[in-house]
Each structure stands twice: as C-alpha cells, then as structure tokens.
Amino acid sequence: MKKVYLIALSLFMMVIVTACGNLGSEVSSQDIESYPDQDVTNLVPFSAGGTTDVNQRIIESFWKDHFPENMVIEYREGAGGEVGFAELAKAKPDGYMMGSINTPHIILQPLARETQFESDSFDVLARLVHDPQVLAVKSDSDIETLDQFIEQVKEKPKSLSVGLTGTYTGDHLTTLKLMDEAGIEVTMVPLAGAADQVKQLLGGHIDAIMGNVGDVTKNKDQFRVLAIGTEERHDWLPEVPTFEEQGVDLVAAIDRGLALPKDTPQEIQDELFKALEEITSLPEYQKQMEEAGLVADFLPGDEWAELISEQKVEAEETLEKFDADEIEE
C-alpha cells in the first residue's frame, strides 16, 4: 500500500512540475488582447550597417504608425547569423522577441553542424527582401571580367580570396556553387557581415566579395561587379552580365525577412503580419528600400516557409559535393 501511495505521489508531483513549466511559456488571452504593451525586440543577427540591419531600420521608421510601443533593434552577430538565429529560436513565444532570418543561412547551418535551431524552428512572418548574389572586385582591380577571375584561379588554385558573411550562409553556398560549376578553388574568408565584407574589400585585404546587389549599388563607383546570379540582367545593374551569360550555370539570391519563435499565438502573428504588409506596401517604404539598395519582394510567411523547404533539398545536394575540409576553408 505504501509503495502504491509513493508511486501515486510521484506521478502527482510530475504533473505539477510539468504544469508549472508550461505556465512559464504560455501566453494568456489577456496578454494577447493587450499586445503589445511593452517594447518589442528585433534581433538582427549580423553587424550594424549591413543590408539586414538597414532593412530593419526602415521597418522601424514606420513602426510607431502601427503600434503604441517601440521596436528596439539589438544585434547578435556571429557565426554567419547563427548566434542570433539560435537566440530567436529559444526566446519565449510571446511576440516580444522577433528577428531577422536569412535564407539559405537557416537551412545550411543545421545541415552542416549541430545548432540550437532548425530551419523550421520559427513562425515565419514574411519575406521582405530577395537580393540576388553578385561577385564583385574593387573598381581599380586588375580583374575586369569573370573569365579573367576564373582563369587566374585555374592557373593558381586559391590565389584569389573571396569575402563571405560567415560560413554556411548564402554567400558561402553561392561560392561553393561557383567553384563547382567553374571547376575552380578560391580562398574563402568568413566575415561578420556585409559591412565587414565591403570594408575588407575596399581596404585591399581581400580580392573579391560574394555579396548582394544591395552591397554594391549604394556606391557603384567603388566596385566592379563581374557577374550577377539572376536569370536575366537586373534593372539595378543592367550593364552587369549574369553568370549564365558567361557560361556558368548559377542563379542565387539571399532572402531576408522576419520571424518569431515557434508557437507564438496566431493572433499575435496576424497582428504583426498585417502591420508588415501595410508598411511594405507604402510608396515611401519602397522608395527608401531602393535608395538603400535593397530589393523589396514581399512574400507571406506560409509561402516563404514552403520555399524554404524546397531550398533545403537543393542545399543538401550542393553540400554533398564537398567534403568538410573544402567547405570550412
């Protein structure tokens, strides 16, 4: 009888502990109705001044037209965005912590190493930017064409360095694809963010960057863009030939948007989505985005989540072609 009593007591205590733990993560109906009644933190997982940060600063400028509380941008740079992605995934799903997610970054990192998040660890709000990838050198570089770049590295493998935003990021994946398609080896240099890439390139510390349209259109005269990863020439860089035009089968872009921790109440998701949809449709928002060199391309979260699943399959195929040593260099 005593044994039965102890077992029953143990089970009861387990239920109590579990219930208490759940109380800490649940959001009450009152919390949902009063949302937001405090500042909302927006995590930017890259360095200040980069394209992800600029996009969120533009969103922030319209925030107070939709919510009574502030949006507070905080930076959690490191490991190609992994530090910030992990913090966002682990945050309480109450709507007071949202953050930027980038693809293929959130796809590649969990595929390549043990991370504290997966590509589906988030409630995706919306894609805001679809930024084609470019290979660029300094405007005064001796390298004038993609053919020259490829030829130089073929003659002397790894003789040219290419700056990337971390490892297992969009820049990284596109560089791997370039090496695969062109049959070359470059020296990959991981950096904290887009602003660091530009600084290192213009300072003469690296030979090229694999970056975004937004990185090179703000000060075009400082760069020579060798190729762009679009199917057709881009309106913002009509003089730049595509990789495909130059015999390299490569189409690539980085998508950026906002997400919440998994299991955020749908009512809060809907409220934030509505505000983002309205903000991104404003002519002034569109104007500021273009002036900042950001390719605005709004896509609802459910559609972007579906696209992320498709991109995961493609990324797995690319990573399988390289061994760990080649990828990490």
Side-chain angles (χ1 to χ4, degrees):
M1 184 68 180
K2 184 177 180 181
K3 184 176 182 180
V4 173
Y5 171 77
L6 290 174
I7 293 174
L9 180 61
S10 297
L11 291 173
F12 175 74
M13 292 302 295
M14 288 176 63
V15 170
I16 293 297
V17 170
T18 301
C20 290
N22 289 338
L23 285 173
S25 60
E26 288 181 354
V27 181
S28 70
S29 58
Q30 184 176 351
D31 291 334
I32 294 172
E33 289 176 8
S34 63
Y35 179 85
D37 60 7
Q38 58 182 288
D39 292 347
V40 176
T41 298
N42 182 347
L43 284 185
V44 171
F46 297 98
S47 55
T51 45
T52 299
D53 177 38
V54 172
N55 180 208
Q56 295 314 306
R57 289 293 176 186
I58 296 174
I59 293 289
E60 180 194 26
S61 70
F62 296 98
W63 182 263
K64 292 290 282 186
D65 295 334
H66 297 267
F67 296 104
E69 306 296 335
N70 295 316
M71 172 196 287
V72 179
I73 294 178
E74 296 184 2
Y75 302 95
R76 297 291 190 277
E77 64 185 80
E82 182 181 343
V83 173
F85 301 146
E87 183 166 340
L88 178 62
K90 295 184 294 181
K92 183 177 180 180
D94 59 2
Y96 290 101
M97 175 74 80
M98 66 179 184
S100 296
I101 59 169
N102 296 36
T103 60
H105 308 50
I106 63 165
I107 298 169
L108 293 170
Q109 291 165 6
L111 289 177
R113 54 185 179 245
E114 185 176 345
T115 59
Q116 297 181 50
F117 69 92
E118 298 292 334
S119 59
D120 60 356
S121 293
F122 312 94
D123 284 328
V124 183
L125 284 171
R127 184 183 74 183
L128 304 174
V129 176
H130 180 70
D131 207 344
Q133 295 258 262
V134 297
L135 178 67
V137 295
K138 285 180 65 176
S139 58
D140 60 357
S141 171
D142 293 335
I143 300 171
E144 297 185 356
T145 66
L146 179 63
D147 282 343
Q148 289 180 357
F149 182 93
I150 291 172
E151 187 61 31
Q152 182 168 331
V153 186
K154 279 188 174 180
E155 291 179 358
K156 190 176 181 182
K158 299 185 179 181
S159 59
L160 294 176
S161 55
V162 178
L164 323 169
T165 53
T167 55
Y168 300 106
T169 60
D171 299 347
H172 191 182
L173 181 64
T174 304
T175 304
L176 291 176
K177 287 181 177 179
L178 172 61
M179 292 197 296
D180 181 41
E181 293 293 336
I184 60 175
E185 289 183 87
V186 302
T187 297
M188 294 181 284
V189 182
L191 299 165
D196 301 276
Q197 283 179 288
V198 170
K199 182 179 179 180
Q200 291 293 310
L201 178 65
L202 298 182
H205 306 295
I206 54 178
D207 299 303
I209 59 170
M210 185 65 77
N212 312 302
V213 165
D215 298 328
V216 299
T217 51
K218 287 178 285 187
N219 297 290
K220 289 184 181 181
D221 60 334
Q222 295 181 320
F223 306 96
R224 178 180 296 134
V225 184
L226 304 180
I228 185 169
T230 50
E231 294 180 354
E232 298 179 356
R233 293 199 181 194
H234 198 276
D235 290 343
W236 290 10
L237 296 170
E239 73 284 359
V240 176
T242 67
F243 283 102
E244 292 190 333
E245 278 184 69
Q246 302 176 85
V248 178
D249 185 15
L250 176 58
V251 175
I254 290 179
D255 287 344
R256 304 184 187 88
L258 283 168
L260 297 158
K262 199 75 172 176
D263 299 324
T264 298
Q266 189 62 49
E267 296 90 338
I268 292 176
Q269 293 187 53
D270 292 344
E271 191 164 347
L272 289 168
F273 175 80
K274 180 182 177 182
L276 287 173
E277 189 174 37
E278 291 176 359
I279 288 171
T280 56
S281 67
L282 294 171
E284 182 60 27
Y285 171 86
Q286 299 285 341
K287 179 183 177 182
Q288 289 187 34
M289 290 288 283
E290 185 167 353
E291 288 175 348
L294 294 169
V295 186
D297 194 347
F298 186 87
L299 190 68
D302 56 348
E303 296 180 36
W304 191 20
E306 185 176 342
L307 183 60
I308 290 171
S309 297
E310 295 172 3
Q311 291 175 332
K312 182 178 180 181
V313 176
E314 298 173 3
E316 288 174 326
E317 293 174 355
T318 298
L319 291 180
E320 286 175 1
K321 295 180 180 180
F322 293 86
D323 62 36
D325 290 337
E326 289 176 305
I327 292 175
E328 291 293 350
E329 284 182 355

